[in-house]
Amino acid sequence: TEPFLVRKICCGSDHTLALCSDGTMYAWGLNNEGQCGVGTTHDVMRPTRIAALPGLGAGAPVGAFAAGGRHSLLVTAERPEFTGKEQSVRGLLYAWGCGQGGRLGNGNATNQCSPTLIEPLVTPNRRYMCLVAGGESHSGAIDQDANVWTWGVGSYGRLGSGETINTPTPRMISGILEGAKIVQLALGGWHSAALSNDARLYTWGRGEALGLLREGDSSLVKEPRSVTLGELNSSSNKITQVAAGTYHTLLLLQNGDIYAFGLGANGRLGNGDKMCRDSALPLKVRHVQTKDGVMIPSGFSVPLKTDAPVAAAGQEKAGSASGSKAAGAPGQQAGKTPQQAARQVSLISEEGVGAGAGDDMHDGEDVPMERGVSIDSVHFGSEGGAEGQAAAGVLGGPYGAGQAKEVPKARSFAIMQDQLRDQPKEWSDTAIKKREAEMEKKVLEVLNDIGGVSKKEAKLNLLMNKFDGMFARNLKFIKAGQHPDMLGAGDVIAPYLERYEDLMTVLQQQVAYLVSLSMCLDNNEEQRVFYETTKMLYKELEDDRTRHLFAALLRALVGKEIEQARGLEDVFHEGVVGMGLGGRDRSSAFHLLSYFALHEVHHKTLVRPLVEISSGTSRGLMSKIVVHTEHDEVWACSLSDYKQAPQIEHKLAEFDPKELQSEFSQATARFHEFIESEFMQTFTGIKLPATIRKIMAYSFSAIRRRRFAVSGSEADEEQSCCEPILKVVVLGFFVPMLRGARRYGGKAQMGYLGSELEKKLDQESLGLMNNIEQLCKFLEKVLGHGAFDDTNVEGRLLKRIGQRLKPILLKYCMDQMKDIADDIHTQLLFSVCRAHYDLKPKTVLLPSSVLLSLSNMLRKSITKLSINDHDVVAAICGDDDNSIKEFSIQEVRNAKENDVLHVFRMESRFLLKDLRLTVCPSAGCPVPPATSTEPLMPGQNFGNLVKKFDPVEEQSSVFEEIFIEATCILQSTTFVSLKKEFEDELENVVKPGTASANIVLAHRLTTGLEKLAEFIELDTQEEELLDAFDAVLANRRNYCSYLNQLELGVRSVDKAKEKHDKCLEEAMRKYEGANKFSLTLQLPPTLLKVAQEEGVTLRLEGAADKIANREEFSRSEKVRGMSNNPVATHPLKKLLSKKVVIECLIPAEPKDVRVTFHLMNGGVDITILLRRKSTECVMKRISISEERLRTLKKAEEGETVGFPTEEPLLKFSIAKLIELIADTAAGR
């Protein structure tokens, strides 16, 4: 169908209204609150006719209409057939959409999804409305007597009623506007403006939007006031139109000049001022002039000519005029130039175009206009927008990796034909599937190679065992102190140490457990245990595997918290432990992201630019703060803070109140200069580490998917979604660094920085720390933690500084998230593989008290934590006999009083024991099948490690080959004309003498013609087919980028394999040398000579002499003065089988216990060793004196004895024990 001729169009924040030449009215875009008026709250995917007006039907004439932020308004015109005998329908006012704050004017705050008559204007005295206007959260209209009526949210005095309360029904503005004959009304985000028939301008509302933050002016204008324009509004060059944005106002004069006033941040006034200063007086917009022009009021300023196509450009939103594939925009993509948009939507404006309040921030460059700027050259937004980036894999995509650049969407068949013909051959579905199979094969080869690592390391293990045995036997020749009891926490934890080691490995590998546990924390103590456990599990972030596991944990934790959040304010809630907040009230993601960013692994990239004190042009922020402090600058967020500053406090008696106020004003001005120059320059110049940027980008995408409602709409959706991320960056990263300057800048933490900061902090500690603290308080207030004092000029100035700073910080965060691949899970897969080629053991240290509390927490929430039917953690911490028991409060307290740090070895090379691996669907982590939410099938060794390519089976597949193989260049813009081109092409390819190869094309053309006929019959929009093509190409680009990441991962494992082979050779060489040394303990001659010269006696030297003597004499020839103390170690299982041990009372498996007999000084020391995987610890040491042995030898046959005597752990047969000791003494 041919498009309608559009007479007028209005744009709200996220929806669009259009009036066509036949009198019908259409709407499309975001419709979550009914703002499109189509009778539902589903997003409207394409222009849809609005519901009928109550009492008037669908053919009611429309006189005027407007789109507010989230609501819509309409005034009826008289019917053409009206004779005066029937009731007039002229001037009836209807509203629909969001009812919050009373903006619909129907007396309540209920949303309406279809037009609703505003009854208060009908009864008791009928008021005829002529014009209507919609602001962000308030509404207005002009009646037949040129009076102004307003209603809705009344904060900041935007209703002009002299109050700041909400008004749910229309209320006429009295005072200066009465009799002023208002002919135009413009409502912005926070203020309002009106123009009279004699070109007088009136404004009221928030002071920032009116440029009223200078000394002596009020920040609120609650009633309309006349704006003095002087010669600007002369009789020969009057104001013809007024438009209101969120924070500024535009005026159009008769000669085509445009003037602007209000908040100057982001260059919105267009006057070329690089400082972007506010202005209460209208200033000319430089180098822009229109003839017979109109303006579109918005968060940015754009002039249009009336004979030019009207095109919406800018931020991508759900179905609004700015366009979104997701919610049915007419086909435009965010970031396109207005010319491109104009080709897509041809909308001729026959009247002045009015729009609702626009948003205050967009993706474009926030710079002042210094050159002539027309609508054809203004840059609106980044290519593709956030959603477009997500589709291309930049923010994750379906394959979780890839950094393919977004290709602009094709908006015509000709452009799509070019894109299809230009796509690389490897992008075809067949080529992609072939490469996918190759990558699956390569990944399996990587895993099978890991299976051969154990064979390569077999010789090294033999050398290590030989060294351990030989060196252990010879250690008896070194006189040492008492061996510490490694189980100092007491016997309460001893039986479970091996189970705890298994638990630590599982919790580190499978992040889903910690994510679920974070949702079960009930109090601050549990949260402390959770944080300490998590930080210790992932302490070694220098290790790739550990760092990528932690990144996967953070990613999953962020996703879970965003999913659970009730509103946007709950995302990354940074409450403080110890403030009475429950575990769920404080964001674990915020806390752990802060820990991750401030970890030593990020000191060079994050900390150094802030805390380094150096000279030159690249000084860090701390250097600049020091310089300002040395110039006697005192920073303060309020007059009371200024009085308490250490530089001022001792001099208070010298100041009178006026002088003190003056000093504070000057200090505030200097702080203003610092923030807007050095602070912004340094802060925005810091590039965050890549992993942090990936998590930020994922967070942003997840927040946008939740579509949180933003009350008041102070900023656009993108800005609102970025605010929680900004909160983490500023309050979680930078503020802690500034407050912890001594810690992060000192020598102990960052040796490469030296001790310059320490010196400065010592020399000027009070003044410098005050300025640092005030800067931190200022940043906290900018992000809503506390308020600025509006009662004085300085407080208002600080508030204005903050309002200017926040958009810049938000833009900084957005820039950090651009062009970053969310490949965390892909990186993790290969870092886990590389870890199997790392010979360095990975350990985790945790104190006894934390272990006991952690296992209690896991037991309590085990039903919520279990991830499969045979859950590993449930087996470790459940109710089975072998599970870790529940510890009492007293046992935990006792452990805290005598805490012992336990070392656990992590199974980072778990594939060497069992070559089975899968990727857990819920966490994205490569794990053993037992810890996955989807275990492998019987006989299956590997899960789906490579994500499958999922071709987009769309209607475009019928046409793709036609577009590529067709001999003609397509020129069609509609399905009807495309059908004609297909028919012509078919006629050409079936002509007599045509090559047989064209028969295939003819068949495709026939199928395509059938499909086109179906499209035409169903009234399918051309954009739907083009969008389908775009989805296919984006899917291919995204998956190819993912395959590239896999290719890089395989190469990295190959490099780790080569490095492992070299390290293995070096390790074997060193152990061979160590084994030679362990035989004799003979030190190098050079070392012995140095020791002799220094008069130092070395223990190893004496031990080597004893070993040499032992080799010289036989066991039976005991040399006088020589100590020969035989040692023998036996497995407990062997002692039980030989009846040496009659009964074992040790709470452990016999196979895990060994008993050592050490003969010395006529007696024997018996040591019970508890084995935990590859390590052993001393459980008990028992000394039997020579006298006691003599007594035991006299015992009767069959008698037994228990050791230790007080609480026996082992019960021996005395006869067998004496026999074993004799064999040990004889060396048997």
Side-chain angles (χ1 to χ4, degrees):
T1 59
E2 294 300 324
F4 288 111
L5 182 65
V6 175
R7 295 179 55 227
K8 184 177 179 181
I9 189 167
C10 288
C11 302
S13 291
D14 301 281
H15 72 294
T16 304
L17 306 176
L19 178 63
C20 296
S21 55
D22 63 351
T24 56
M25 191 167 173
Y26 289 79
W28 63 93
L30 188 68
N31 192 39
N32 60 327
E33 295 178 277
Q35 54 262 53
C36 288
V38 294
T40 71
T41 55
H42 301 297
D43 288 345
V44 182
M45 307 302 291
R46 65 181 65 175
T48 302
R49 192 166 180 174
I50 67 170
L53 302 181
L56 299 182
V62 178
F65 64 97
R70 291 177 289 159
H71 66 294
S72 304
L73 302 150
L74 177 150
V75 173
T76 58
E78 193 59 83
R79 294 183 188 275
E81 65 274 14
F82 178 70
T83 62
K85 297 179 180 180
E86 64 271 24
Q87 185 178 1
S88 173
V89 298
R90 178 173 63 90
L92 295 178
L93 182 58
Y94 290 82
W96 61 94
C98 176
Q100 184 180 1
R103 68 191 74 184
L104 297 185
N106 58 359
N108 59 59
T110 305
N111 295 352
Q112 301 292 335
C113 58
S114 58
T116 301
L117 179 65
I118 300 181
E119 297 286 349
L121 292 178
V122 179
T123 57
N125 298 317
R126 172 74 183 277
R127 304 298 302 185
Y128 295 92
M129 295 296 152
C130 301
L131 294 174
V132 68
E136 181 61 43
S137 54
H138 67 303
S139 308
I142 302 175
D143 66 15
Q144 74 271 26
D145 298 323
N147 294 316
V148 176
W149 297 68
T150 58
W151 60 95
V153 176
S155 59
Y156 298 101
R158 72 188 82 182
L159 299 183
S161 62
E163 301 173 335
T164 57
I165 60 174
N166 297 349
T167 302
T169 57
R171 179 175 174 182
M172 192 178 80
I173 299 179
S174 58
I176 194 173
L177 291 189
E178 289 186 276
K181 299 298 180 183
I182 301 300
V183 295
Q184 284 191 35
L185 180 64
L187 306 184
W190 310 94
H191 71 295
S192 307
L195 189 67
S196 66
N197 64 347
D198 59 354
R200 290 183 181 274
L201 179 65
Y202 302 88
T203 60
W204 61 95
R206 189 169 183 171
E208 289 94 326
L210 306 177
L212 302 178
L213 276 186
R214 299 172 302 158
E215 185 174 357
D217 288 326
S218 171
S219 61
L220 296 182
V221 179
K222 300 179 184 179
E223 296 180 345
R225 72 173 201 171
S226 177
V227 180
T228 303
L229 302 173
E231 297 180 359
L232 176 64
N233 198 21
S234 63
S235 57
S236 60
N237 190 23
K238 291 185 177 182
I239 299 173
T240 60
Q241 190 176 352
V242 60
T246 305
Y247 283 106
H248 70 307
T249 306
L250 299 176
L251 305 175
L252 177 66
L253 274 61
Q254 282 179 328
N255 65 356
D257 288 340
I258 298 175
Y259 282 75
F261 62 94
L263 196 67
N266 304 325
R268 54 168 59 81
L269 300 186
N271 55 21
D273 182 7
K274 294 184 178 180
M275 296 298 292
C276 296
R277 284 169 288 203
D278 304 345
S279 178
L281 299 176
L283 299 176
K284 186 176 180 180
V285 178
R286 295 177 58 183
H287 311 303
V288 177
Q289 190 177 50
T290 66
K291 292 294 185 182
D292 302 321
V294 296
M295 293 184 297
I296 297 180
S298 183
F300 43 87
S301 310
V302 183
L304 286 177
K305 293 183 179 180
T306 55
D307 59 350
V310 178
Q315 184 188 16
E316 180 175 7
K317 288 196 173 184
S320 60
S322 46
S324 170
K325 170 186 169 184
Q332 184 191 334
Q333 177 198 11
K336 285 187 174 293
T337 64
Q339 302 104 304
Q340 292 170 318
R343 297 189 196 105
Q344 300 162 21
V345 188
S346 182
L347 304 171
I348 309 301
S349 173
E350 296 181 350
E351 305 176 18
V353 179
D359 297 316
D360 184 45
M361 181 180 176
H362 59 92
D363 273 346
E365 297 177 13
D366 294 325
V367 295
M369 298 181 182
E370 297 195 45
R371 298 179 297 277
V373 180
S374 69
I375 189 171
D376 291 340
S377 62
V378 178
H379 174 69
F380 295 89
S382 58
E383 278 293 321
E387 295 293 340
Q389 291 176 6
V394 178
L395 296 183
Y399 306 109
Q403 202 168 351
K405 297 290 184 181
E406 174 74 353
V407 177
K409 288 185 178 182
R411 291 299 96 193
S412 71
F413 295 126
I415 295 175
M416 179 52 68
Q417 186 181 36
D418 290 341
Q419 290 187 3
L420 289 171
R421 289 178 171 180
D422 292 343
Q423 69 174 332
K425 292 182 179 179
E426 58 268 21
W427 279 20
S428 68
D429 290 352
T430 303
I432 289 175
K433 294 297 290 184
K434 180 180 179 181
R435 191 179 173 202
E436 175 192 301
E438 293 173 354
M439 287 310 307
E440 287 181 335
K441 184 178 179 181
K442 287 183 179 181
V443 172
L444 289 178
E445 288 174 356
V446 165
L447 294 172
N448 288 323
D449 286 345
I450 291 174
V453 170
S454 296
K455 293 181 180 179
K456 289 184 178 181
E457 295 180 359
K459 184 177 179 181
L460 176 63
N461 291 331
L462 288 174
L463 290 172
M464 292 170 64
N465 292 334
K466 183 178 178 181
F467 172 78
D468 290 344
M470 184 62 69
F471 196 72
R473 280 194 291 272
N474 288 336
L475 281 179
K476 63 190 176 185
F477 296 107
I478 303 175
K479 186 177 181 180
Q482 181 74 16
H483 194 287
D485 184 358
M486 296 181 67
L487 304 179
D491 291 338
V492 67
I493 198 173
Y496 308 108
L497 286 174
E498 184 173 346
R499 305 296 279 161
Y500 274 116
E501 187 163 75
D502 293 338
L503 179 63
M504 294 304 105
T505 295
V506 172
L507 293 181
Q508 188 189 63
Q509 285 179 346
Q510 174 53 286
V511 302
Y513 287 114
L514 289 176
V515 172
S516 298
L517 182 61
S518 72
M519 298 291 113
C520 302
L521 306 177
D522 292 332
N523 53 62
N524 289 337
E525 175 59 21
E526 289 189 356
Q527 198 164 48
R528 182 193 67 81
V529 171
F530 173 78
Y531 289 151
E532 187 167 351
T533 301
T534 305
K535 291 175 183 179
M536 296 305 289
L537 281 173
Y538 302 101
K539 182 176 177 62
E540 302 299 328
L541 292 181
E542 294 82 3
D543 173 60
D544 282 348
R545 170 184 165 275
T546 307
R547 186 171 63 256
H548 290 138
L549 277 171
F550 193 42
L553 168 66
L554 291 172
R555 190 181 189 276
L557 196 58
V558 164
K560 190 70 172 179
E561 290 194 1
I562 293 173
E563 176 188 325
Q564 297 285 331
R566 296 181 296 271
L568 196 59
E569 65 279 358
D570 294 335
V571 178
F572 300 139
H573 191 288
E574 71 287 2
V576 181
V577 168
M579 295 294 289
L581 297 173
R584 294 293 297 277
D585 290 334
R586 190 184 194 212
S587 166
S588 298
F590 178 92
H591 183 92
L592 293 175
L593 276 168
S594 178
Y595 164 77
F596 184 55
L598 300 179
H599 192 277
E600 292 177 18
V601 74
H602 295 137
H603 275 185
K604 185 176 181 180
T605 52
L606 251 187
V607 180
R608 188 171 184 175
L610 262 79
V611 303
E612 181 181 24
I613 292 184
S614 60
S615 58
T617 57
S618 60
R619 294 181 302 160
L621 182 64
M622 191 60 65
S623 294
K624 296 171 182 178
I625 297 175
V626 168
V627 170
H628 283 268
T629 304
E630 290 175 344
H631 284 78
D632 298 325
E633 290 190 18
V634 181
W635 296 342
C637 290
S638 66
L639 182 58
S640 60
D641 286 344
Y642 187 76
K643 293 177 182 178
Q644 295 171 14
Q647 306 99 308
I648 300 298
E649 190 175 19
H650 67 282
K651 300 190 296 183
L652 279 178
E654 302 175 11
F655 294 105
D656 60 37
K658 290 185 179 180
E659 186 179 1
L660 185 66
Q661 180 69 44
S662 176
E663 290 283 340
F664 176 47
S665 298
Q666 294 178 26
T668 304
R670 288 192 290 268
F671 180 69
H672 181 189
E673 294 174 2
F674 167 76
I675 290 293
E676 293 203 339
S677 56
E678 294 169 288
F679 176 81
M680 289 184 183
Q681 178 185 5
T682 306
F683 189 98
T684 56
I686 298 172
K687 188 171 185 178
L688 297 174
T691 304
I692 292 176
R693 293 164 56 211
K694 293 173 187 177
I695 296 170
M696 289 169 59
Y698 170 76
S699 304
F700 180 76
S701 180
I703 292 171
R704 294 197 71 175
R705 287 195 298 270
R706 272 299 310 272
R707 302 183 68 84
F708 291 108
V710 182
S711 60
S713 293
E714 296 185 12
D716 60 20
E717 179 190 1
E718 188 173 79
Q719 178 181 355
S720 299
C721 292
C722 190
E723 285 192 8
I725 300 168
L726 175 63
K727 182 166 60 177
V728 175
V729 172
V730 175
L731 303 184
F733 301 171
F734 293 107
V735 167
M737 272 189 277
L738 290 171
R739 284 199 169 119
R742 189 183 298 275
R743 173 186 175 190
Y744 294 109
K747 205 169 187 178
Q749 289 291 329
M750 300 173 61
Y752 54 83
L753 289 184
S755 58
E756 287 300 315
L757 181 58
E758 288 284 355
K759 293 177 182 178
K760 291 292 182 184
L761 291 173
D762 290 338
Q763 293 167 2
E764 303 176 17
S765 178
L766 295 179
L768 181 57
M769 295 310 295
N770 171 76
N771 285 353
I772 293 173
E773 178 60 26
Q774 293 301 316
L775 175 59
C776 293
K777 286 180 65 175
F778 170 76
L779 293 173
E780 289 171 341
K781 290 186 177 184
V782 169
L783 295 182
H785 288 250
F788 294 100
D789 184 3
D790 285 340
T791 62
N792 57 65
V793 175
E794 293 76 21
R796 293 195 295 271
L797 176 59
L798 288 169
K799 184 176 181 180
R800 184 174 60 180
I801 298 170
Q803 289 170 338
R804 289 180 175 177
L805 176 63
K806 190 173 180 179
I808 295 173
L809 298 182
L810 285 166
K811 185 177 184 299
Y812 165 76
C813 286
M814 293 301 302
D815 290 342
Q816 294 293 310
M817 294 185 287
K818 288 180 181 177
D819 301 330
I820 186 73
D822 181 14
D823 57 356
I824 290 174
H825 291 153
T826 310
Q827 295 278 6
L828 176 57
L829 171 64
F830 292 105
S831 63
V832 167
C833 293
R834 290 194 300 270
H836 289 77
Y837 293 101
D838 188 355
L839 294 173
K840 183 180 177 181
K842 303 298 183 294
T843 57
V844 166
L845 287 77
L846 276 170
S848 299
S849 61
V850 171
L851 291 171
L852 301 185
S853 299
L854 175 65
S855 57
N856 281 351
M857 290 162 54
L858 293 171
R859 283 177 63 90
K860 181 186 70 173
S861 306
I862 197 64
T863 56
K864 298 179 181 178
L865 303 180
S866 298
I867 61 176
N868 57 43
D869 294 337
H870 304 284
D871 190 74
V872 176
V873 172
I876 296 174
C877 300
D879 297 324
D880 297 341
D881 294 338
N882 295 327
S883 301
I884 299 173
K885 73 163 193 172
E886 182 175 359
F887 297 98
S888 67
I889 296 176
Q890 188 58 46
E891 286 174 320
V892 175
R893 288 174 180 169
N894 293 341
K896 285 184 180 180
E897 292 174 0
N898 300 288
D899 238 346
V900 173
L901 201 61
H902 297 273
V903 182
F904 300 106
R905 184 163 182 170
M906 297 293 95
E907 287 289 344
S908 59
R909 309 175 81 198
F910 58 91
L911 291 177
L912 301 185
K913 292 187 176 181
D914 184 13
L915 193 61
R916 301 175 74 231
L917 184 72
T918 187
V919 174
C920 176
S922 64
C925 298
V927 294
T931 57
S932 174
T933 53
E934 292 184 9
L936 299 180
M937 299 296 291
Q940 187 180 6
N941 291 331
F942 304 111
N944 295 323
L945 303 178
V946 175
K947 297 173 184 177
K948 300 294 184 182
F949 176 61
D950 184 16
V952 180
E953 297 296 338
E954 293 282 356
Q955 51 203 10
S956 60
S957 58
V958 178
F959 299 94
E960 182 172 355
E961 295 300 329
I962 300 176
F963 276 38
I964 293 174
E965 297 177 12
T967 59
C968 64
I969 302 299
L970 300 176
Q971 302 294 332
S972 303
T973 58
T974 66
F975 285 141
V976 174
S977 55
L978 182 64
K979 183 171 180 289
K980 180 65 169 61
E981 285 190 293
F982 276 22
E983 290 170 346
D984 294 343
E985 182 72 9
L986 180 61
E987 185 178 346
N988 290 332
V989 300
V990 297
K991 285 180 180 178
T994 303
S996 59
N998 284 342
I999 296 177
V1000 177
L1001 177 59
H1003 174 71
R1004 289 172 178 159
L1005 284 166
T1006 303
T1007 305
L1009 285 168
E1010 294 174 356
K1011 196 68 179 177
L1012 283 175
E1014 181 182 336
F1015 287 168
I1016 294 170
E1017 181 180 355
L1018 296 176
D1019 196 22
T1020 304
Q1021 298 296 309
E1022 289 75 10
E1023 287 80 8
E1024 293 185 23
L1025 178 60
L1026 294 173
D1027 286 343
F1029 273 125
D1030 287 327
V1032 169
L1033 295 180
N1035 188 51
R1036 291 172 183 169
R1037 283 194 302 271
N1038 204 24
Y1039 193 78
C1040 286
S1041 186
Y1042 167 68
L1043 292 176
N1044 292 339
Q1045 290 287 345
L1046 293 178
E1047 187 74 48
L1048 293 173
V1050 169
R1051 292 179 192 173
S1052 71
V1053 177
D1054 290 339
K1055 291 182 180 179
K1057 182 180 175 183
E1058 294 174 5
K1059 184 178 179 180
H1060 171 264
D1061 292 341
K1062 294 179 182 178
C1063 291
L1064 202 58
E1065 293 177 4
E1066 180 69 12
M1068 287 191 289
R1069 185 183 64 79
K1070 290 182 177 180
Y1071 264 103
E1072 286 171 353
N1075 280 327
K1076 291 179 181 179
F1077 168 74
S1078 68
L1079 291 172
T1080 63
L1081 299 185
Q1082 187 65 49
L1083 296 172
T1086 305
L1087 182 59
L1088 293 173
K1089 182 179 179 181
V1090 172
Q1092 186 177 6
E1093 291 174 353
E1094 296 293 330
V1096 177
T1097 302
L1098 301 176
R1099 289 183 180 180
L1100 284 178
E1101 185 178 4
D1105 291 341
K1106 292 178 181 180
I1107 293 172
N1109 289 335
R1110 186 188 65 177
E1111 296 297 325
E1112 184 178 348
F1113 298 97
S1114 66
R1115 291 179 182 274
S1116 59
E1117 297 175 290
K1118 186 175 180 181
V1119 179
R1120 185 179 179 184
M1122 186 185 103
S1123 173
N1124 185 10
N1125 303 318
V1127 179
T1129 302
H1130 303 280
L1132 177 59
K1133 193 173 182 180
K1134 178 180 178 182
L1135 296 177
L1136 286 167
S1137 65
K1138 291 187 174 183
K1139 306 298 183 182
V1140 177
V1141 175
I1142 304 301
E1143 185 179 1
C1144 174
L1145 301 176
I1146 299 173
E1149 293 291 329
K1151 62 182 179 64
D1152 296 330
V1153 180
R1154 298 199 306 162
V1155 184
T1156 297
F1157 299 86
H1158 187 186
L1159 277 60
M1160 55 190 306
N1161 301 323
V1164 60
D1165 281 353
I1166 301 177
T1167 304
I1168 302 174
L1169 302 170
L1170 179 62
R1171 186 175 184 180
R1172 296 187 291 112
K1173 293 188 177 179
S1174 57
T1175 61
E1176 284 185 330
C1177 61
V1178 177
M1179 188 172 184
K1180 200 68 179 178
R1181 181 172 287 106
I1182 308 156
S1183 293
I1184 305 175
S1185 65
E1186 183 177 5
E1187 183 179 352
R1188 182 73 189 280
L1189 276 180
R1190 290 197 192 101
T1191 303
L1192 291 175
K1193 287 178 182 180
K1194 298 175 183 180
E1196 298 291 334
E1197 185 70 25
E1199 286 192 40
T1200 62
V1201 63
F1203 294 110
T1205 307
E1206 56 280 2
E1207 293 181 8
L1209 293 176
L1210 297 175
K1211 188 176 289 187
F1212 292 90
S1213 163
I1214 295 179
K1216 294 282 187 179
L1217 176 62
I1218 297 301
E1219 182 182 347
L1220 179 65
I1221 292 173
D1223 289 342
T1224 303
R1228 291 192 292 271

